[in-house]
Amino acid sequence: MVYLLPTFISFSIGYLLLRLILRRDAPPLPLMFFFSASAGMGVSAIIVFSSLVFLGKLAAWYAIGIHILLLVALAALTGKLLPPGQRFPLGEVKGSDLVGLSLLGLCMIPVVSHALLYPQGGWDAWSCWNLKARFIFLGGEDWKNMFDPLLWRSNIAYPLLLPCLNVWSWCFGKDPAGAVPLANSCLITFVTAGTLLFSIKKLAGRLHAILAPVWLLSILFAVKLASSQYSDLMVGNYYLAAAVAYLYFEKTGARAWLAVTALMLGFLSFTKSEGLVLALVTAFTVIAIRAVRSPDRKELRRDAAAFFVTLIAASLPTI
C-alpha cells in the first residue's frame, strides 16, 4: 500500500500544475484527472533524474523532499491565485462520466489479468527498462555503469523517464519491488485509455467515446503491449496527450493549451529515442501550422515563446 503514496503525490502535483497553467480554460474534471496523471508522472521522473545529475546518485530523501516542497508550493499558489470554484469543480462530473469510467474499468480487466501472468514484463522490460531502474536504485554512485558498451543489448542510449518513474515509487521502500513496474504499466494504459475516452467525449460525441477504449483494449496486441512494461506505453500516452492539448488550443485559442502541448512533448522526448524524434517533428509542425494560420506576427511570437520555453523546460533531462 505504501507504493500508492508516490502515485498520489505525483497526481496531485500534476493536477495543481495544470490548474495553474490552464485556469479558466481547464477541460472537464474527468479529462483533467487523466491529463494530471500524465503531467505528474513526467514531473516525478524529472525530479528523480535531477538527483542523479546534482547528487551523482539516487537520494530518496532528495526525491521525496523536492516532491513535498513542490506540492506545498503549488498548493499555496493554487489557493492564492484560483477562486474556490476552479480548484476542484466536482460539479463538472456527470453521470455519463461515471458510466465511462466503469466501462474503462471493465476494459482493463484483461490487461491486468495478462500482466499478472507475466510479472516481469516482456523482454525489453527486464533487459532494458527495469534493469536501468535497478541500476539507478541499487547502484549508488555506480549507476552510470548501465551505459557500459558491454550492455549494448539493453539500449543504453535510451532516455530514462520510465525507469525514473519506477524508481520514484521504490523510494518509499527498501527493495525494488517487482509489483511497481507491473502496476505502473497498467496505470499508464489506464491513463492513455482514459485520455482517449474523455477527449473524444468532449470533442466528438458520446458514442465515439464509448467505442474508442473498447476497440483499443479489445485488440490482443494492445493487451499484450499494455502489460509489457515497455516505454512504448509512455510514447503513446504523451503523444496522445499532446495531440489532444493542441486540438483544445485550436478549438479555444487559449495560449495555455499551447503550453500544455509543449509540456507533453517535452515529456515525450524523455521516453525513448523514437519519442524524441516524434517530439521534435511534432513541435516544428505545430509552429509551422501557427506560422501559416496566424496573420498577426506579434501573436505568433508570443505563441512561439510560450511553446518553446515550456518545451525546453520539460526537455531539460533529454538535453
Side-chain angles (χ1 to χ4, degrees):
M1 294 297 292
V2 70
Y3 295 115
L4 294 176
L5 181 58
T7 301
F8 176 75
I9 293 174
S10 297
F11 169 81
S12 300
I13 289 174
Y15 180 82
L16 294 173
L17 177 62
L18 291 182
R19 275 291 171 197
L20 287 170
I21 294 174
L22 294 170
R23 302 196 183 189
R24 294 180 180 179
D25 299 308
L29 192 59
L31 181 56
M32 185 68 173
F33 277 164
F34 290 103
F35 264 105
S36 300
S38 297
M41 288 188 290
V43 171
S44 292
I46 289 176
I47 290 174
V48 170
F49 184 77
S50 70
S51 174
L52 306 179
V53 173
F54 297 129
L55 303 180
K57 62 178 182 179
L58 173 69
W61 62 267
Y62 170 89
I64 295 172
I66 295 297
H67 273 87
I68 293 175
L69 288 174
L70 182 58
L71 181 60
V72 171
L74 289 173
L77 286 172
T78 301
K80 183 177 181 180
L81 299 177
L82 298 183
Q86 291 184 23
R87 296 172 193 168
F88 200 77
L90 286 175
E92 295 179 357
V93 180
K94 302 177 182 178
S96 58
D97 296 329
L98 299 178
V99 172
L101 284 172
S102 300
L103 177 64
L104 193 58
L106 291 175
C107 292
M108 285 297 298
I109 292 177
V111 174
V112 176
S113 300
H114 192 272
L116 292 173
L117 293 175
Y118 301 93
Q120 301 302 320
W123 187 88
D124 269 5
W126 52 263
S127 69
C128 177
W129 305 111
N130 295 345
L131 179 65
K132 292 176 185 292
R134 284 175 167 81
F135 261 105
I136 294 171
F137 186 74
L138 300 172
E141 295 181 352
D142 296 323
W143 67 273
K144 294 179 182 178
N145 288 344
M146 68 180 174
F147 300 120
D148 192 309
L150 292 175
L151 299 175
W152 63 272
R153 290 295 297 269
S154 297
N155 298 304
I156 57 178
Y158 275 177
L160 300 173
L161 190 147
L162 181 58
C164 287
L165 178 62
N166 290 330
V167 169
W168 162 233
S169 294
W170 288 340
C171 285
F172 287 76
K174 296 181 179 180
D175 302 309
V180 166
L182 186 153
N184 281 339
S185 181
C186 294
L187 175 62
I188 296 163
T189 301
F190 180 72
V191 170
T192 305
T195 303
L196 183 65
L197 169 64
F198 288 104
S199 61
I200 294 178
K201 180 177 183 294
K202 176 64 178 178
L203 298 172
R206 195 171 299 173
L207 177 62
H208 299 81
I210 292 174
L211 293 176
V214 173
W215 173 78
L216 176 65
L217 296 178
S218 64
I219 301 173
L220 294 180
F221 178 75
V223 172
K224 181 178 180 181
L225 183 63
S227 55
S228 65
Q229 304 176 28
Y230 290 0
S231 192
D232 302 72
L233 299 171
M234 305 296 283
V235 173
N237 177 65
Y238 283 117
Y239 189 64
L240 173 63
V244 173
Y246 185 72
L247 287 175
Y248 259 94
F249 170 71
E250 287 286 333
K251 182 178 181 179
T252 65
R255 191 172 290 119
W257 275 111
L258 196 61
V260 173
T261 303
L263 183 70
M264 296 304 173
L265 290 177
F267 295 147
L268 174 62
S269 72
F270 195 37
T271 55
K272 57 185 303 187
S273 301
E274 293 89 334
L276 172 58
V277 174
L278 188 58
L280 289 173
V281 171
T282 305
F284 285 106
T285 301
V286 166
I287 294 302
I289 292 173
R290 292 302 301 148
V292 171
R293 291 185 177 180
S294 177
D296 189 336
R297 297 294 98 180
K298 187 175 181 180
E299 283 296 311
L300 177 60
R301 286 194 295 269
R302 289 177 178 174
D303 288 346
F307 184 84
F308 281 113
V309 167
T310 309
L311 179 64
I312 292 172
S315 304
L316 282 177
T318 310
I319 296 173

